[in-house]
Structure formats: structure tokens, C-alpha cells
């Protein structure tokens, strides 16, 4: 089983590269063949990824959330899966390239550095932790997708303002649609992050005796959550729209990245497991 | 195939001539009656603002292009139109030309969306007046098929190629659902009117018109279900609109930056599109620097038009391939018309011989063997004729060499004396 897993680990990034390749081809050529086949390939890539994750869980007797490279492969799956659902729901096919490329990066890094982790800390075997990590990852996937749509919004906004009617103008949906997609992704991300935080608060006292609510990772996550909360409330209650909202989303995403980098690699925390 | 066609169009004649020869429905009906009486057994007349074309199957072989042109020239003798203004087509080239017309690649605006519908209408008029016979029906079915394929299988009709439509295309890149938006169109000249109609066609939620002459705006508003506001008060209402299209002939700016700044503030910086398609411009171009304002003038819209035109031109080879496929399919069918009676004559000829010989000998066989004899002799005839039948059909359907088909049919008839036999029978 382990050797099958190793082969899958090699093949999986190739699947993602092929998928992003056909999305890239379609972005530049817009043929009906590539437009239809890219979705089929993405579906098979996701199917293969599910198989890989299940195989990994069975082989090592724990869900693949116990080290940073396992987290990366789950994140790669979550981002592409969320995009796949969005594409099916909205039939907007021109933005996939910019989102699946994130999965390609995460999966490639994961496949290169991932180790066979048979022994894991006892604290990482909790079911609550599984739910906590899964909802956090899906939440981060949501805000990542929100930021990508926000970024595409800003590019298209600038192109239209400057009378540049190139490929982005051709392939992207309307500004309003991009704003909507960014908003919906942010809402989903925010809800799932909220779930992750609630589960974390429940699980924390059970798992650690020396925990602190002033832990850098908790503060970072709280800040990201707060920023998105303010942004979403401003849109829903304050009638914010357009550029202001998507800039908020992008700042939130950048803060989330900065917070993750600082708390995972620089700060000492009880919350660092790897 | 003796289909003959003449066309006066934007390739051969200036707009004044094309306008002069443009035929309305009643004129087309009158002309059909004349053509039916004097020249054609069946045919079709297409007349749009850019072309007037007559297609027909002549009653007599001696019909010339000049005979057909005369019908049009005589209608407008004051224009002194000469024969050089007409393109002339016969047989395959006439069918090819019609396919090019229906697919939009012969249009002044390449990929023109209207020409396919105009071709259908023209055919309907012919049909209604018993001018569309068996052959023309098939020609026009094939032309419509070629036109539809060009539209669906290529991008020949994609993208806006007029400034008014480019404005609407650009608006659709900003707003997701025009049904929830409100628009103001200022100026009821031709451009403004077209823009208003485009917006209505695209399902704009609320459409308002303004014009210096109120009556003109009111008349159009009634026709396309729009509201009207007084021209002098447009700046007071500016904040109510997501889209403003201005196409007046005013010599000075009618919407200034301060007016727009005040409106966008009232709108809480909600996106507002300002399309200035007037020359000289109506809206202060400095408004483009305001946040949430998308200002575009005729130059920026022309960029979209030029890009789309180039893209459509790049699609022409793909459309020509479709036309070629449809031509081959059509002439395969047409050639098979010629081969079918020949094959039937050949089979009848052999069947007659078989039946005659069986009749002579039938009494020598028992009742049971008589049936076997019928089956056996028919099978022999079928086997003998199978290969020649297949070969003749193949040659005809390839549509490559009509002469080859004709020669083969001729040899067969001559060798077996099929025609003689028919005549003998008479």
C-alpha cells in the first residue's frame, strides 16, 4: 500500500499541472473542446486526490493533518474542490486558471517534501482536532478564493478604466459578478473560520494545560476573523460595494498569510505542532 | 445546374445606388410576379440596405444576366445604372455566393447578425408567392444551414462591431444583471435611438430618455416602454442612474465633472457607467478620474469595435470551410437527382428482360419451382447490377466531377440502348 501511495504522491501533482495546463490553454485559445475537457480533467484530478487522501489516512492510521505538508495537500484539494463547485454553480469558466494554480503550488510542495508519518503526537489524534483543522482549512480556502476574485476584480477594473480590452477583459465575467464571487467565498470562509475557532475554544482546555488565549496564533487568527467580520458587516449593513470591499478581502487574505507565516515559523507557540 | 444570380451590393455600388435599388416587401412581390411571368420558373429576391440580389432558375436556356439586370435597372432609370455594377453568378458560384451571404462573410459588417433572418424572410416571401420551387427550397435550406453553422461553430458573429453595441457590451462587463439597473439615454438621434433599443433588447430594468425636443423622446419612449425626463433637468436626476449614454449634437459639455461628483456621492460611490458617444463630447472626460465612475468616449469604444472586427475577419477561413462542406453536401444531393432516374432506367431495362424471359419459360416449371425461379432470376439481376449501381452513386455523390457522371450514364444508356428501348415502347 505504501508503494502505491508513493506512486500516487508522484502522479497527483502531474494531474494538477495537466489541469492547470488545459485551463491555461483555454484561457488563451477559448476553444469549445478545451472549455469542456478542462472541467472533466479537474473532476478526475479531484477524484484522484480523494483516493490519495483516503489511501494516506488508511496507510498511516490518521487523517492527513498532522504535519505542514499533509496540510498543504488537503489545502490544495480544498481550494480546487471549492472552485469546482463554484464553476458548476455559476458556469463561469474563465477564472479557474488563477485559482487552480494555488492548488498546483501547494500540491507540488507537498509531494516533494511529504514524509511517511506513522507516529503522531497523541494530541493530534483527537476527532475534535480533525474537525477544527478541516473547517480552518476550508475557511482559509474560502478567503483565498475570495482574494483571487478580488485581485481579478482589481485587474479588470483597471483594464476597463484604462481602455485596455485584452484577454482579461475577454475572459472574465463582469466586475459585479467577480465582486459577488469574492463576497460569497468570503462569507463561506468566514463561517468556516468561525466554526474552526469555536471548535478550537472547546478543544483547547481539554488538550493543553498550559494554553493561553494570548497565543500569537490565536491572536493572528482572531485578527483575520475580525477583519473579515468588519468587511462583511460593512457590505451587508453599511452598503459598501465595489473596490472598497474587494480591497478589504485582499488585505484580510494578506493578513492571514502573514499571520500563518509568523506564527508557524517564527513565534513559539503551544499551537505549533510541526 | 442552371441557377443564375445577379447582385448589386456594397462591393460594387455606392450607398446612393444601393438605397435606390432597395426593394420593400410590396416591390419584391411585384417583381416576383414579373420574373415568374417572363424569366424564371422559380427564384428568390433578397433586398437589404446593403444588397439587392435576384436568384432564379430560368425557363429558357437563352436567359442572360442582362435580362435579369434590366428588371432592376428599369425600376430606377434616373440613376443610369450600368451592368458593371452587378456581380454575376451561375450554377455553383451562385450557390456559393448565397452561402457567403447567409453566413455573413459577404456583409459590409462581417458576421452581420441580421442577414440570416433577412434571407429567411426573403425565402418566405418567395414561398408565399409560389416562387420557391423544389430546387430553390433545397438551395435555401442549405444556405440557412450554412449560415446557422457559421454562427454556432465559429465566432464570426461574436462581439460588438458598432459603437452603440460596443457601449452595451462594455456595460455588460461592468454589471452582471442589466435587469436590475437603470439607464438614461440622452439625445434621440440615430445613435442614441439605437443605443436605447440595444439596452431595451438586453432587458435593462429601467430606461429613461432625454432629448432637447421632448416630443421625439416621448415618441421613442412610447415605442420601447421607457420614461422621459426634461433635457434641462438631466443633472438633477443623474444619481438615479447606473448607466448614462449620451449622444447629442450639443456643441458644449452637458454633464460636467462636478455634476458627476455630486451624483456619485449621492449614490454612495456605487458604480456608474458614463458612455459618451457624441462628437463633440457631451460629458467631461475628467470624470474618468472619479472613483466608481467608468467613463468611455467614442474612441475607447472604437477600440472594442476594431478588435472585434479583426477577430471576425480571422474567422472567415473557418466559415469558408463550412461553406465548402455545405456546397459538397448540396451538390452531392443535386448530382444524385441526375443519377437516380438513370439507375431506375437501367434496373427497369434488366427487369423487363428478366420478366420477359421468365414468362416465356414459366410453364416448364412446377408451381413450387416457379416461385424459386422468380427469386433466383431477381437475385441474378441484383448481383449483376449491384456494382454498377454503387459506382454510379459513388461518382455522383462525390460531387467532384459532373462530367464523369454524365459520361458513365451516357455509356450505359448507349451500350444497352435504354433510351431507344423507351422510345420503342412509346
Amino acid at each position: 500500500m505504501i508503494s502505491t501511495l508513493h506512486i500516487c504522491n508522484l502522479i497527483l501533482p502531474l494531474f494538477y499541472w495537466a489541469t492547470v495546463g488545459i485551463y491555461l490553454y483555454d484561457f488563451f485559445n477559448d476553444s469549445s473542446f478545451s472549455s469542456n475537457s478542462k472541467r472533466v480533467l479537474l473532476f478526475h484530478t479531484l477524484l484522484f486526490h480523494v483516493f490519495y487522501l483516503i489511501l494516506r489516512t488508511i496507510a498511516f492510521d490518521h487523517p492527513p493533518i498532522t504535519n505542514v505538508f499533509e496540510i498543504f495537500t488537503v489545502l490544495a484539494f480544498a481550494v480546487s474542490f471549492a472552485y469546482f463547485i463554484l464553476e458548476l454553480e455559476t458556469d463561469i469558466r474563465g477564472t479557474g486558471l488563477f485559482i487552480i494554480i494555488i492548488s498546483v503550488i501547494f500540491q507540488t510542495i507537498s509531494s516533494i517534501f511529504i514524509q511517511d508519518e506513522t507516529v503522531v503526537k497523541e494530541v493530534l489524534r483527537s476527532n475534535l482536532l480533525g474537525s477544527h483543522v478541516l473547517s480552518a482549512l476550508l475557511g482559509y480556502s474560502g478567503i483565498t478564493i475570495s482574494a483571487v476574485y478580488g485581485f481579478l476584480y482589481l485587474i479588470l477594473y483597471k483594464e476597463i478604466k484604462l481602455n485596455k480590452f485584452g484577454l482579461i477583459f475577454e475572459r472574465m465575467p463582469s466586475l459585479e459578478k467577480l465582486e459577488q464571487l469574492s463576497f460569497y467565498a468570503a462569507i463561506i470562509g468566514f463561517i468556516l473560520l468561525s466554526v474552526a475557532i469555536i471548535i478550537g475554544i472547546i478543544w483547547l482546555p481539554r488538550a493543553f494545560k498550559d494554553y493561553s488565549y494570548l497565543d500569537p496564533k490565536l491572536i493572528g487568527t482572531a485578527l483575520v476573523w475580525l477583519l473579515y467580520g468588519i468587511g462583511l458587516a460593512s457590505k451587508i449593513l453599511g452598503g459598501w460595494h465595489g473596490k472598497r470591499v474587494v480591497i478589504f478581502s485582499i488585505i484580510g487574505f494578506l493578513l492571514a498569510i502573514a499571520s500563518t507565516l509568523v506564527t508557524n515559523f517564527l513565534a513559539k507557540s503551544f499551537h505549533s505542532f510541526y | 445546374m442552371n441557377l443564375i444570380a445577379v447582385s448589386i451590393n456594397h462591393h460594387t455600388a455606392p450607398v446612393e445606388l444601393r438605397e435606390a435599388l432597395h426593394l420593400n416587401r410590396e416591390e419584391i412581390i411585384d417583381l416576383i410576379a414579373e420574373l415568374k411571368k417572363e424569366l424564371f420558373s422559380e427564384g428568390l429576391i433578397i433586398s437589404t440596405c446593403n444588397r439587392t440580389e435576384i436568384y432564379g432558375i430560368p425557363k429558357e436556356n437563352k436567359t442572360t444576366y442582362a435580362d435579369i439586370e434590366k428588371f432592376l435597372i428599369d425600376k430606377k432609370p434616373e440613376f443610369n445604372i450600368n451592368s458593371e455594377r452587378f456581380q454575376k453568378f451561375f450554377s455553383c458560384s451562385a450557390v456559393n455566393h448565397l452561402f457567403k451571404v447567409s453566413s455573413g462573410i459577404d456583409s459590409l459588417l462581417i458576421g452581420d447578425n441580421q442577414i440570416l433572418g433577412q434571407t429567411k424572410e426573403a425565402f418566405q416571401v418567395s414561398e408565399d408567392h409560389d416562387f420557391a420551387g423544389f430546387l430553390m427550397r433545397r438551395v435555401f435550406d442549405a444556405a440557412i444551414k450554412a449560415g446557422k453553422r457559421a454562427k454556432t461553430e465559429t465566432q464570426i458573429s461574436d462581439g460588438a462591431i458598432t459603437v452603440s453595441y460596443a457601449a452595451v457590451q462594455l456595460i455588460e462587463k461592468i454589471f452582471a444583471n442589466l435587469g436590475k439597473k437603470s439607464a438614461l439615454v440622452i439625445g434621440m438621434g440615430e445613435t442614441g435611438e439605437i443605443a436605447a433599443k440595444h439596452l431595451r433588447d438586453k432587458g435593462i430594468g429601467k430606461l429613461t430618455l432625454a432629448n432637447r425636443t421632448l416630443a421625439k423622446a416621448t415618441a421613442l419612449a412610447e415605442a420601447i416602454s421607457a420614461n422621459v425626463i426634461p433635457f434641462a433637468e438631466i443633472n438633477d436626476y443623474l444619481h438615479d442612474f447606473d448607466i448614462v449614454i449620451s449622444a447629442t449634437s450639443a456643441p458644449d459639455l452637458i454633464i460636467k465633472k462636478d455634476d458627476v461628483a455630486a451624483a456619485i456621492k449621492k449614490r454612495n460611490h456605487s458604480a456608474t457607467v458614463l458612455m459618451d458617444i457624441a462628437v463633440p463630447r457631451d460629458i467631461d472626460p475628467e470624470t474618468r478620474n472619479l472613483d466608481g465612475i467608468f467613463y468611455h468616449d467614442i474612441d475607447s469604444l472604437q477600440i472594442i469595435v476594431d478588435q472585434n472586427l479583426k477577430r471576425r475577419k480571422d474567422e472567415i477561413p473557418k466559415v469558408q470551410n463550412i461553406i465548402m462542406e455545405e456546397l459538397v453536401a448540396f451538390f452531392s444531393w443535386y448530382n444524385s437527382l441526375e443519377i437516380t432516374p438513370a439507375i431506375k432506367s437501367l434496373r427497369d431495362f434488366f427487369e423487363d428482360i428478366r420478366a420477359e424471359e421468365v414468362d416465356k419459360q414459366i410453364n416448364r416449371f412446377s408451381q413450387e419451382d416457379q416461385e424459386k425461379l422468380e427469386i433466383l432470376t431477381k437475385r441474378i439481376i441484383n448481383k449483376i447490377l449491384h456494382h454498377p449501381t454503387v459506382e454510379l452513386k459513388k461518382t455522383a455523390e462525390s460531387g467532384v466531377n459532373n462530367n464523369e457522371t454524365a459520361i458513365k450514364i451516357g455509356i450505359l444508356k448507349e451500350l444497352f440502348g435504354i433510351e431507344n428501348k423507351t422510345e420503342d415502347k412509346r
Side-chain angles (χ1 to χ4, degrees):
Chain A
M1 184 185 277
I2 298 292
S3 58
T4 311
L5 192 66
H6 288 168
I7 293 166
C8 290
N9 185 48
L10 285 175
I11 294 172
L12 191 53
L14 298 180
F15 260 101
Y16 274 103
W17 279 105
T19 307
V20 90
I22 195 160
Y23 270 84
L24 184 74
Y25 176 84
D26 186 61
F27 185 75
F28 285 101
N29 296 290
D30 192 27
S31 74
S32 58
F33 172 74
S34 57
S35 180
N36 292 326
S37 50
K38 67 181 184 180
R39 185 182 278 183
V40 176
L41 187 57
L42 176 59
F43 175 72
H44 285 99
T45 301
L46 289 170
L47 213 59
F48 188 69
H49 204 149
V50 169
F51 171 72
Y52 169 76
L53 291 175
I54 292 171
L55 202 64
R56 193 162 188 95
T57 306
I58 295 168
F60 300 124
D61 194 26
H62 63 81
I65 52 168
T66 61
N67 64 55
V68 75
F69 301 113
E70 284 185 346
I71 295 281
F72 273 16
T73 187
V74 177
L75 204 56
F77 174 79
V79 168
S80 281
F81 179 71
Y83 169 74
F84 182 68
I85 299 297
L86 265 179
E87 191 184 296
L88 282 183
E89 278 293 308
T90 61
D91 204 32
I92 293 171
R93 303 179 183 209
T95 57
L97 170 67
F98 303 94
I99 290 168
I100 297 168
I101 192 80
I102 296 168
S103 294
V104 170
I105 294 165
F106 279 126
Q107 187 53 50
T108 306
I109 295 171
S110 170
S111 285
I112 293 169
F113 296 107
I114 202 162
Q115 302 288 323
D116 295 347
E117 203 86 55
T118 46
V119 181
V120 294
K121 292 177 187 173
E122 200 48 45
V123 73
L124 297 178
R125 288 193 173 274
S126 158
N127 285 335
L128 269 178
L129 175 76
S131 314
H132 168 69
V133 173
L134 198 67
S135 50
L137 286 179
L138 288 171
Y140 276 110
S141 304
I143 63 171
T144 305
I145 290 171
S146 171
V148 172
Y149 280 126
F151 190 62
L152 291 173
Y153 177 99
L154 291 182
I155 295 173
L156 182 60
Y157 180 92
K158 205 172 172 193
E159 293 228 327
I160 293 175
K161 277 270 203 183
L162 297 176
N163 293 331
K164 285 184 181 170
F165 306 115
L167 266 179
I168 290 283
F169 179 79
E170 283 291 316
R171 301 286 186 265
M172 288 300 118
S174 67
L175 280 175
E176 215 170 54
K177 186 57 82 180
L178 284 172
E179 186 190 333
Q180 268 175 17
L181 290 170
S182 175
F183 175 62
Y184 292 148
I187 284 187
I188 293 166
F190 179 74
I191 292 170
L192 289 166
L193 271 187
S194 306
V195 171
I197 288 169
I198 292 165
I199 296 172
I201 289 169
I202 296 166
W203 172 67
L204 205 56
R206 295 187 198 174
F208 302 99
K209 285 177 183 165
D210 58 341
Y211 74 93
S212 163
Y213 285 116
L214 296 175
D215 179 79
K217 200 165 191 173
L218 295 193
I219 293 171
T221 308
L223 277 176
V224 171
W225 183 83
L226 205 63
L227 192 74
Y228 272 93
I230 292 168
L232 294 173
S234 304
K235 179 159 173 71
I236 296 165
L237 304 173
W240 279 27
H241 38 72
K243 219 166 73 167
R244 263 196 291 189
V245 180
V246 298
I247 287 175
F248 226 91
S249 169
I250 292 170
I251 291 172
F253 173 71
L254 293 176
L255 187 70
I257 295 282
S259 157
T260 308
L261 289 175
V262 169
T263 54
N264 270 336
F265 299 110
L266 298 176
K268 289 274 175 203
S269 163
F270 74 90
H271 203 210
S272 300
F273 306 116
Y274 339 109
Chain B
M1 182 187 189
N2 56 347
L3 178 67
I4 189 165
V6 296
S7 168
I8 188 160
N9 56 48
H10 58 95
H11 297 297
T12 61
V15 66
E16 303 80 47
L17 275 188
R18 301 199 307 266
E19 276 174 0
L21 287 181
H22 174 69
L23 305 170
N24 61 33
R25 192 184 162 88
E26 282 68 38
E27 288 171 321
I28 290 174
I29 292 166
D30 291 345
L31 187 56
I32 283 175
E34 290 173 42
L35 289 169
K36 264 169 74 175
K37 191 175 162 196
E38 302 200 18
L39 284 186
F40 294 143
S41 56
E42 52 180 303
L44 178 123
I45 300 166
I46 299 174
S47 190
T48 72
C49 49
N50 282 318
R51 66 180 67 246
T52 295
E53 308 192 328
I54 299 177
Y55 297 80
I57 307 287
K59 288 178 183 170
E60 295 172 21
N61 283 339
K62 60 183 181 184
T63 303
T64 64
Y65 294 117
D67 295 334
I68 312 166
E69 289 161 12
K70 193 169 174 297
F71 278 89
L72 287 173
I73 292 169
D74 287 352
K75 285 203 173 295
K76 306 282 173 181
E78 67 274 22
F79 281 90
N80 199 21
I81 304 165
N82 63 41
S83 180
E84 285 172 11
R85 294 292 187 188
F86 290 89
Q87 287 180 323
K88 300 152 179 81
F89 305 100
F90 182 66
S91 187
C92 187
S93 76
V95 180
N96 183 40
H97 176 72
L98 181 64
F99 286 10
K100 281 164 81 177
V101 170
S102 66
S103 62
I105 61 169
D106 197 60
S107 297
L108 181 61
L109 296 172
I110 294 163
D112 179 16
N113 270 312
Q114 294 177 335
I115 190 66
L116 190 60
Q118 288 165 333
T119 310
K120 282 182 190 170
E121 272 177 43
F123 176 66
Q124 195 56 51
V125 173
S126 278
E127 182 93 318
D128 292 346
H129 294 84
D130 297 325
F131 197 37
F134 170 71
L135 196 58
M136 290 308 287
R137 266 190 214 111
R138 193 74 188 217
V139 170
F140 283 95
D141 281 350
I144 298 304
K145 189 178 172 202
K148 281 183 181 168
R149 282 190 62 197
K151 262 184 193 305
T152 53
E153 294 176 26
T154 75
Q155 295 178 334
I156 194 72
S157 297
D158 286 4
I161 51 166
T162 61
V163 167
S164 313
Y165 206 74
V168 177
Q169 190 192 342
L170 189 49
I171 289 165
E172 285 185 312
K173 262 300 173 216
I174 295 164
F175 297 125
N177 184 355
L178 289 185
K180 292 180 179 169
K181 303 294 167 191
S182 57
L184 168 66
V185 179
I186 309 166
M188 293 297 102
E190 193 188 349
T191 316
E193 192 178 324
I194 293 170
K197 284 177 178 167
H198 279 326
L199 282 171
R200 178 50 77 222
D201 291 346
K202 289 282 176 184
I204 190 81
K206 187 182 158 200
L207 182 61
T208 304
L209 310 178
N211 193 49
R212 234 179 254 283
T213 315
L214 192 64
K216 209 172 174 188
T218 311
L220 181 63
E222 279 173 13
I224 60 170
S225 307
N227 305 313
V228 177
I229 57 168
F231 184 81
E233 295 171 24
I234 50 174
N235 282 311
D236 300 334
Y237 289 100
L238 222 46
H239 62 278
D240 284 339
F241 300 104
D242 303 294
I243 301 154
V244 177
I245 299 180
S246 194
T248 76
S249 52
D252 301 311
L253 298 179
I254 58 169
I255 298 176
K256 301 203 169 60
K257 188 180 176 184
D258 289 347
D259 301 323
V260 176
I264 192 88
K265 204 174 169 188
K266 277 188 188 171
R267 287 171 57 74
N268 194 18
H269 294 273
S270 181
T272 307
V273 181
L274 304 178
M275 292 286 173
D276 190 349
I277 47 180
V279 180
R281 291 185 284 197
D282 287 338
I283 305 171
D284 187 348
E286 284 298 308
T287 54
R288 66 162 56 98
N289 299 322
L290 294 169
D291 205 24
I293 291 291
F294 296 93
Y295 168 88
H296 295 278
D297 57 21
I298 203 153
D299 284 349
S300 53
L301 296 174
Q302 194 59 46
I303 296 171
I304 297 178
V305 168
D306 291 345
Q307 283 181 353
N308 288 338
L309 269 176
K310 188 188 172 299
R311 198 170 303 124
R312 287 189 181 197
K313 280 181 186 160
D314 292 343
E315 292 293 295
I316 288 176
K318 289 183 196 167
V319 177
Q320 282 171 331
N321 285 342
I322 289 172
I323 289 175
M324 186 52 73
E325 286 170 18
E326 291 304 323
L327 277 175
V328 168
F330 174 77
F331 279 99
S332 298
W333 168 82
Y334 180 75
N335 292 337
S336 73
L337 289 182
E338 201 177 327
I339 206 74
T340 306
I343 290 171
K344 190 175 180 310
S345 303
L346 187 68
R347 287 194 160 269
D348 286 349
F349 174 76
F350 275 79
E351 173 58 23
D352 287 350
I353 296 172
R354 184 199 70 81
E356 201 177 313
E357 291 306 312
V358 168
D359 268 355
K360 280 182 194 167
Q361 309 297 330
I362 196 86
N363 292 331
R364 295 187 178 185
F365 295 88
S366 65
Q367 190 67 34
E368 193 184 320
D369 286 343
Q370 283 179 6
E371 282 177 24
K372 285 180 183 169
L373 181 69
E374 280 285 330
I375 294 167
L376 179 73
T377 51
K378 279 186 179 172
R379 197 179 289 163
I380 291 169
I381 297 298
N382 281 339
K383 286 203 168 178
I384 290 170
L385 291 179
H386 176 73
H387 188 70
T389 307
V390 169
E391 277 303 307
L392 280 173
K393 280 186 177 170
K394 213 190 288 175
T395 314
E397 283 170 4
S398 72
V400 179
N401 193 342
N402 288 346
N403 288 341
E404 193 184 340
T405 312
I407 290 167
K408 282 183 177 173
I409 293 169
I411 291 172
L412 272 174
K413 285 181 174 176
E414 201 177 315
L415 283 177
F416 293 108
I418 290 173
E419 276 168 346
N420 294 342
K421 187 176 168 61
T422 314
E423 280 162 16
D424 291 348
K425 270 188 177 177
R426 278 182 200 151

